[in-house]
Every structure is written in structure tokens, then in C-alpha cells.
Amino acid sequence: MNHFQTILPRVRMLLAGHLPSQARALLDSMLERELLSREYHCALLREPDGEALARKISLTLLEKGDPGLALLRWAWGTWQAPLAERDPDDEDRARSGQCAAMELGPLEGGYLELLNSNADPLQLYHLYDQMDPAREEMELCSEPDMDTINCEQFSRLLCDMEGDEETREAYANIAELDQYVFQDSQLEGLSKGFFIEHIGLEEMIGESVETLEEKKSQKRCEVPQASQALPSSSPAIHSLPKSPERPGSTSPFAPSAADLPGMPEPALTSRADVTEEQMSPTRSPAAHEVCSQLPKWPERVEKFCSALRDTYQAEPAGPEGILVEMELVRARLERSSSKSQERELATLDWAERQPARGGLAEVLLAGGDRRRPRETQVIAVLGRAGQGKSRWAREASRAWARGQLPQYDFVFYLPCHCLDRGGDTYRLQDLLFSLGPRPLPVDDEVFSYVWRRPDRVLLILDASEGLEGQDGLLHSACGPVCTEPHSVRGLLAGLFQRKLLRGCTLLLTARPRGRLAQSLSKADALFEVAGFSAEQAKTYLTRYLERAGATERRERALELLQGQPFLLSHCHSPTLCRAVGQLSEALLELGGETELPSTLTGLYVGLLGPAARDSPPGALAGLARLAWELGRRRQGTLLESQFPSAEARAWAVAKGLVQPTPGAAAVGLAFSSFLLQCFLGAVWLALSNDIKDKELPQYLALTPRKKRPYDNWLEGVPRFLAGLVFQPHADCLGALVGPAAATLKDRKQKVLTRYLKRLQPGTLRAGQLLELLHCTRETLDAGLWQHVVQGLPARLSFVGTRLTPPHTYVLGSALEAAGRDFSLDLCSTGIDPPGLGSLVGLSCVTHFRAALSDMVGLWESLQQRGEAKLLRAVEEKFTIEPFKAKSVKDVEDLGNLVQIQRTRSSSEDTAGELPAVRDLKKLEFALGPVSGPQAFPKLVRILEAFSSLQHLDLDSLSENKIGDEGVEQLSATFPRLKALETLNLSQNNITDVGACKLAEALPSLAASLLRLSVYNNCICDMGAESLAHVLPDMGSLRVLDVQYNKFTAAGAQQLAASLRKCPHVETLAMWTPTIPFGVHEHLQQLDSRISLK
């Protein structure tokens, strides 16, 4: 072992300071000398861990009997020869450094011996850093995965050294030397630019302001920085090679401050809103003078940031400038089903939502607890089309421009439609500076500043679903050092894979469905845009009219919106809210009595009708075809050359149907909104002769085909298509294209009528059923609407399906129109309190289930508003039968429900039990072995409140393991569980102690208990004897299951003997592996009620 300790430090020194190609040369030499087999040589070449490689080489040398280290001396001499040839002036220094290193001798004490040796650490430092920058850059680019500097290993090494008292004293001496060097008058002879470039202004100031006591407490960070201070006698070094990942030296003795444990994050310390004196009250005068003389940023960087801020600070014109603060809530992705790998946003109960009340600052800090040093932070903001994601992303860049995000020096906002490039290649600086909506000149000095400080960079990729068309985006190779041009796909892949610009903050906005969203499950934080509430929609409409100069019409516009609750529910989407404002303004300008349309189709016909009357011939149909074809390719941008004519393009731009896209690869245009593209796509489907009649129903996307299913990317098309085909021609499709298409429309209407009438609503999934209701309502066909609502089943379950405000309104209308009673299951739907109250308050809803936490909030809200009648109706209809507790929160919510009943019972104006508590008959507890023992005492405390409880199931596939203590707590409640018929205690880690406690309490259930199971526990003979003793007293018991326990033949005979005294017992399941099979058979022959299955 002593020989191993001798070899290992030297191998570490060789590998840590040299290039991967030189390490390969060492392994090749070992192969030539037959110290390695060819297979082992190949394995070592692929070893990514530098420490593991050093250990394997050391063990090989030890096994092959090379304690003289001849091979290492050869490697050392060979590796220094090129250095001496490139830099003749440094030959003597290299030779002295080599001799000093080789004279260290056996370092049995490890790195402490190195510190106490006569070797000059500064010479070693220079020796490792005198590599050709160009060659090093080339090696890093070509072999990024062979980097042998491992910061995690370096951190463990420092922890090991910290435990030794002599080591602490040695580093205290180094700290004193560090302070002495920085305060030495001879430092004035060195160029300040050297320290700024290679140490960094923040690091230099941080070192100079700390006292000796602070340095002792932060010795991990001071070790490498001490080696950066050069004594006055040392020759000046004008250029040290730097790795882009580690600003400063590439030596293993000088990693960057961000790589060391215990150092504060640069983003939290540099350029914060505190003065330098507040940060460092013990600053030395010399350091203060340096700080006062040096600017924070180079002049060109300062000018660039100023130009970037001016770009983002510009106030958007028109409706884009209206800001109504929307709520962001934390989100997570989950599999849509057990058989599917596709992920979608999890549907949380309303009370489970975690709003980001801290706004943008909370969003950007959300992933900090999961973020590792020098690791890219990925934050995704998801939301359906039209929910305001892009508006929020632009506001984030404006917030930085106003100085509200001091943790970032640079913010780059990139709409992804600007990145839809062909086969051209770009550099990273092109992506950041030139491909955005407002290109800025590429400056190498600015980019170098950005590259060295990635933790101070925020990169916003807006509308990231536009990147889905770039195949292989998430799997392209782009290394951490990107010096050669790449395709846009390669650059984005490097960012997504956290390889390129590593350490930055990447903020994405995207839709929750699609290939890109599936890859976001590993993001550091996920948020969802919640959309507008009813009050926010009214606020937006008011501000829209104020900006349009129609202030006097605000009240009338709000009355129009209030008169159409269907449109008000759709104002949950900011895009639709804006469309309502546009149509309201146009209608009010006409004067007279007017009202808003009652459907989404009517809304967009009202917006496009006036524009269509002034269109060139065929312009609207041509634009509709473009919208459909681009939507099939998941695109929303188009080129000027794609328009049927220049007049059509000018008309579309003038009417606001399309708008320019700054920064696109060519002169491009984009549809003004995604829903407008959906509407135009539906217009094309209604007008086209190319769509066969038998193919038309598939575009409603209600019953997708198994083979080649329709890609419903234009998710608004089904509702618009139904409205365009069924609504009166003169008021709908005819208002857009004239009477020529009437015959074609009638034919398509007949096709869709037959299809919709063949559908059976009871067989559709919840999401398809809601879409069917929406499509049917858009038709305004009373007969078709009645046909659909009459087919609704009496029990409707929407578990796991999100119920948005439009869904809630349409569902409520359908239930009222059906004229029958319904039972609803609204658990895990994320329905908001107003929507929940409106549904459960319907007279046709007789029973409903909902999340307990949501119901508690609804009850409290109704009590505060004094709506006693609705409160009593909700209490009578609400049920939790059966209830399954799967989390601690479920148990806590159940406890809150019981507490409400107790408070209600003590009140003078109300009396009696809550029906939900009173009528609960089956209760399951399935929390697993971790949460089960913790939450079970909470459940026991409220069990007595359920007076009608008949089935208590404590069995779980993952085993609750309530143990003997849990059984004892449960047994105390038996006298109050008068109706209990089934008690399942299987798989709960119950021993003889618990079995005895159970047997003592069972007589309290003698009149009601029919089935008792203690399957798969740890009950031995003593426990079996206790159960056998109480068995004759259980007059109502019919089934007893004691299988898979640990009692022997003695316990089995006790149970069999007791069974003969119990003629009322029908089955005793008793097979257990600890009893010989012959004994089982004998006991079964004696009594056929004994089951061995």
C-alpha cells in the first residue's frame, strides 16, 4: 500500500496538468511495454473520470512491478520537451519546476507532504499553464468529454485535507502569504490589466477585502487563489490560456471560484444593490483604490448593454401594450395513461395550486434549490395557445431593462419563429446578437464577456413549440466549447442539453402538448399560465377601450359582455378577450341596439366580415388555404411569396390578419393570433372541394382513427368547422365568401349531421365528450343539441380532465337542457370555485364528488357571502363515498371535513351531521410504508365521526405498515364503530403484540363484523392463540383470513379447534408456509371450512 501511495500522487500530477492527447500517449506507451492488454487499453481510453483513470494506471504499475517509476519519468520528460521548444525563455523555469516535482519523493502523507516540501508551487503552477492557447482550444473542442479536471473530486479532496490539524495550519500560512502578496508594494510593477483579465475584477476585490480571520474560515476558496499571486521576482507572464468553462488558469491548482464549494454564487454577489463598503467593511485601502479606479464593465460592453436595454424598454403599441398581470402557478408533467409514454400537464385541484406570488423574481429563482454550481438552469412556462405566454416573456425582458433583475447582466429575447433557419451555419454570438427580432452588431469583446460569465445571462426562447419541426433538436451533438459554426439546430441542442453556455438561465415558453413539451420533465422548474379570471377579463376590456379612445363606452361594452356569459367564460383566454374588445368597439361605433354573438364562430365572423367585403377576389380563400397547410406542418409563419397575389398580401396586412415578423430569415409574416389561424383553417375545410365527404368527420377529432390519426395541432378547428357548416349561411360563411358556397355547405352539413347523430355520448372519454358539447353548441341547431344532451349518462365522471371556465359553462348548459338528474365526479379537474359553485348549484345535480380541499374552500366562501340556501344545497349533495386516502393531504382534508361537521353541530342555527360524513360507508387507506405510519394516527382520531362506516380497508400493494402501534390505536375506536362489517389489516407488519391487542378489542365488534383479514403479517403462535380464543365470541363473523403469517402447526391446531366451536363462521383461510402441507390437509379433512387457497 505504501508503494501505491507513492505512485498515485505522481500519476495524478501528470494527468491533471496535461492534455487528453498526452494522457493517451502515456497509455499507448504502457501498451507498447506490455503493461496493459489491448482490451484494457481501450477501456482506459474511454474512462471519463480523471481520478478513476489515475487509480487504474497506478494499480497497473504496482501490479507490473514498476516501483522505480521509470515510465513516469519518461512521460514527464517527454511532455515537457514541446513546451521547451515553444518557449526558449522559459526553459530554465520548466526544468526547475520538473526537478522540484520529481524530487518530492514518496508522498505518503498525500497533499500535506506536497505543501511542506521544498517544491515551489508557483513553479508547478507556471509549468501547468504554459500550454499553447490555440492547441489547447483545439483539444478542448475535439475531445470535450475527456476533460480530466473534475470539480466534484476536487471538492472531496479539499474536504479530506480539511480534517487534518497540520493541514489547517498550512493553509492559514498560505492565507497570510496571500494577503501579504496583495498588499506588497512591489505589486505596483505588475499590470492591473493582467489581474482583471486572468483573475477577474470581482475575484480580485473579494480577495483584497477579506481579513485574515475570514480567510481562515474560507480556506477552500483561498488555496487556488493564493497561487495566482506572483512574487515580484518571478518573470511576468503576459498570456495564460483560459478555458471558457473556467475563467482564469487551466491549472488544477486554480479552478474558478464558481467550481469551489462554499463560495457564494456570482449572480447573488456581483453588482448587487449594495455598496462595496457594505459588503466589505474591513476593506484595505489599496484594494479600495483599485476598485475606485477600475470600471465595472469595459466601455464597449457598457454601450452594448445600454443598447440592449433601449431595445427592450420600448413600449409596445396598440393592444400589445395593455398589461393585466396574470397568475403563474407551479406545474408538473405526468403520463397521460399507464400505457402511454406521452406526458401532459398534471391536473391539480384548485386548492393544491401554488401560485408564484413573487412574480417574475420567484419564477427565475424557482429552480435554485435543484441547481448545481455552474449548471444551466432551465425554467419552462407552459400554457395553451392564446393564454398570454409571449406577452409575459416580453414583459420579462422589459423588467430587466428597467433594472428589476439585477442578477443578470445580459438578457436575450429570441422568438423561435426567428430561428426557423435552413441549412446555414451560425456561431453562438450570431444566435445571441443577430437572429433576434432586433439584430445588434456582433462584438467579439462583448461576446467574450458574455462567455466568461454565463451565470449572468438570461436567455428567453419564446414560443418554443415552433422548434418542433427541426428534427433531432434534442439529440444533436454540440460540445461545451463551440468555436466552429453550427446549424441553429445544433446551437439550440447544445443549450437544451446544458452543454453550451453552461451556467446560464434558460427560460422557455411553450404549449403543454407536443414533442418539445415531453422533454421538459427534467426542467428545473415548470410553471403554467393560469389565464384571466372574470374580473381580469373585465379589467382588460376596460383598458382596451381606454387605449382605443372609447372611454365613454366602457360601461356599455361591459353590459354587452355580461349579456353573453358564454363569451365571458371564453375571456379566460387573453387572445379571445382581445377579440371581444375589438368586436365590441366596432359594434358600439355603429350605434343603435346591438349585442355580441353567442358563439366563437359568430365572434370571428363579426371580426372578419367587414374585412372580407373589401378583399381582392380569392384573397380570403387563398389565405385560408395557407392557414390550413401551414397548420398541418405545425407552422404559423409564412413568406410574402406564398400569397396568391401582391394585392392579397397588402390586404391581409392592412386588415391586421397577418403582421410582420422582425428577425425572420426572409421577409416573413405571421398570423395575428393562433385562433385566427384555426378559424381560417376551418374556413378552408368548409369551402374546399378537395376534402372528401367521408374524410370530413375526422377533422372534428371526436373519434380519431387508429390508423393515421388526424394531428389536431390546430385545436380550434373542430368548433369553428361545426359553426361554419351549420349556422345560417347568410349570417356566417356567406358573409365571408358570398352565396357561391351554399350548395357545398349544405352537402357537408348533411355529412356531419349523420356523424354526430351516430355518436353515443356515453361511450366517449371525458375530454371527447366536452369537445362534442362545444361543437354541438357552435352549430346553433336545437335538434342536434337536444339529441346530444339526451344521450348523456346519468353518472358523469371527469376525473383527471381539466375543466376550464368554458368547459364549465357548456357542461352546465347541457345538464340543464337534458331535464334529468345527474351525478358528477369532479375530483382532479382543477375547476375554479365559481365554476364549482355554478355546477353543483344546479337543481338537476343530485350528488357530486369533488376534492375535499376545494369543498372546504367553497363552504367557507359561501358562508362569508351569506348564501345560506346554496350552502345547504351543496352540503346535501356532496358525497365522498367511497373515499380512498392516497396521500397525507387526503387524510388532512378528511380531518378538516370532520372539523367542519363538529363546528356545524355546535352551532345554534344548524344541527345534525354532514351527509358526506354521515353516509361514508367505505374508507381505504393506501399511503405506503413511508407516509402510512405517519398519517395513520391522524386517521384514527377522526374515525369515530363516521358513524355509518362499514368497510375499513388498510391494505395496500405497497404495504402501509401501521404495525402493532397502529393496531393498538385502531382497537381503541372499535366501541364507536358500530356499523363496521369488513376490517382488512393485511400487509401491515403486525406481530403477536398487535394480534393480542386486536383480539382483546374484537368483542366490541361482535355484533357487526362479518369479514376480518390479517393476511401476510408476522403473527406467530401466540397471536394465533389469541385470535383462536376470541373467535367463539364473534357471533357475526363469517370470514377470517390469517394466511401467510408465521405461526406453526401448534397455532393452526388452536385455530382449528376454536373453529369447531363457531358454526357461524363460513371460511377460515389459514395456509401459511411455516406449516407442513400434511398438517394443512389433515386439518382440512377435519373441517372443510378451512381453506388452503
Side-chain angles (χ1 to χ4, degrees), residues 56-206:
K56 291 176 181 178
I57 292 177
S58 301
L59 288 173
T60 301
L61 294 175
L62 185 65
E63 292 173 359
K64 301 299 181 179
D66 192 14
L69 302 180
L71 180 64
L72 296 183
R73 293 192 185 96
W74 168 84
W76 189 281
T78 302
W79 290 358
Q80 305 313 314
L83 294 176
E85 294 175 2
R86 285 198 305 268
D87 192 358
D89 296 336
D90 294 337
E91 182 177 357
D92 295 336
R93 181 172 65 253
R95 186 180 298 111
S96 62
Q98 176 183 345
C99 295
M102 297 307 295
E103 290 171 359
L104 292 178
L107 298 179
E108 296 186 5
Y111 288 87
L112 182 59
E113 290 294 334
L114 176 61
L115 290 172
N116 294 331
S117 69
N118 295 326
D120 186 356
L122 293 177
Q123 298 294 338
L124 289 176
Y125 169 74
H126 301 323
L127 183 63
Y128 291 140
D129 274 355
Q130 292 170 7
M131 292 181 289
D132 181 19
R135 180 174 180 181
E136 183 192 18
E137 186 82 7
M138 178 185 67
E139 292 290 346
L140 285 174
C141 292
S142 61
E143 295 182 61
D145 295 333
M146 296 294 292
D147 187 7
T148 56
I149 299 176
N150 190 306
C151 302
E152 184 178 353
Q153 298 167 7
F154 189 73
S155 302
R156 293 198 300 266
L157 170 64
L158 291 174
C159 294
D160 295 338
M161 291 190 296
E162 186 178 7
D164 187 80
E165 183 64 26
E166 294 181 0
T167 307
R168 289 196 292 269
E169 293 178 2
Y171 279 104
N173 295 333
I174 290 178
E176 294 175 2
L177 174 62
D178 180 38
Q179 178 131 349
Y180 169 76
V181 170
F182 270 86
Q183 293 180 352
D184 197 341
S185 60
Q186 297 178 1
L187 186 65
E188 297 176 0
L190 292 174
S191 169
K192 294 176 180 177
F194 168 79
F195 288 99
I196 296 172
E197 180 181 1
H198 299 293
I199 299 179
L201 176 61
E202 291 84 1
E203 297 177 11
M204 181 192 70
I205 294 175

Side-chain angles (χ1 to χ4, degrees), residues 413-422 424 426 430-431 433-440 467 470 488 635-642 659-671:
Y413 171 75
L414 298 175
C416 289
H417 65 77
C418 298
L419 306 180
D420 189 9
R421 307 282 170 153
D424 297 335
Y426 303 90
D430 299 324
L431 175 67
F433 298 161
S434 304
L435 301 187
R438 297 177 180 87
L440 294 170
L467 302 174
Q470 302 194 23
V488 172
Q635 295 177 357
T637 58
L638 60 160
L639 303 177
E640 290 186 350
S641 60
Q642 293 178 286
Q659 56 191 11
T661 56
V667 179
L669 299 167
F671 292 99

Side-chain angles (χ1 to χ4, degrees), residues 856 859-860 863 891-907 914 917 941-942 945-946:
V856 170
W859 275 325
E860 293 175 350
Q863 286 177 342
V891 178
E892 293 174 348
D893 291 342
L894 193 62
N896 293 335
L897 181 65
V898 172
Q899 183 60 35
I900 289 177
Q901 174 183 273
R902 291 170 178 171
T903 304
R904 183 176 184 272
S905 300
S906 61
S907 177
L914 281 174
V917 176
R941 287 194 290 269
I942 60 175
F946 305 106

Side-chain angles (χ1 to χ4, degrees), residues 837-914:
S838 64
L839 278 182
V840 302
L842 297 175
S843 59
C844 58
V845 177
T846 57
H847 297 88
F848 74 93
R849 290 171 55 89
L852 282 177
S853 52
D854 290 350
M855 285 306 305
V856 170
L858 178 62
W859 275 325
E860 293 175 350
S861 175
L862 294 177
Q863 286 177 342
Q864 292 174 0
R865 298 201 303 264
E867 300 184 32
K869 182 177 180 180
L870 181 57
L871 177 60
R872 286 195 296 270
V874 170
E875 289 178 348
E876 292 297 327
K877 298 177 182 179
F878 178 58
T879 178
I880 59 174
E881 168 65 25
F883 185 82
K884 184 174 183 178
K886 296 184 288 186
S887 66
V888 177
K889 180 182 178 299
D890 292 338
V891 178
E892 293 174 348
D893 291 342
L894 193 62
N896 293 335
L897 181 65
V898 172
Q899 183 60 35
I900 289 177
Q901 174 183 273
R902 291 170 178 171
T903 304
R904 183 176 184 272
S905 300
S906 61
S907 177
E908 295 181 358
D909 54 344
T910 58
E913 297 178 314
L914 281 174

Side-chain angles (χ1 to χ4, degrees), residues 196 295-305 410 427 429 433 441-453:
I196 296 172
K296 287 187 176 181
W297 284 343
E299 182 179 356
R300 295 170 71 175
V301 177
E302 186 72 48
K303 289 182 179 179
F304 176 83
C305 285
F410 305 93
R427 300 170 300 169
Q429 48 265 52
F433 298 161
V442 177
D443 190 308
D444 290 338
E445 181 180 354
V446 175
F447 176 71
S448 176
Y449 197 88
V450 171
W451 184 260
R452 293 198 303 267
R453 295 164 176 81

Side-chain angles (χ1 to χ4, degrees), residues 541 545 557 560-561 579-589 596:
L541 183 59
L545 294 174
L560 291 179
L561 181 59
V580 170
Q582 291 173 334
L583 186 58
S584 299
E585 180 187 5
L587 292 176
L588 292 176
E589 286 180 354
L596 289 171

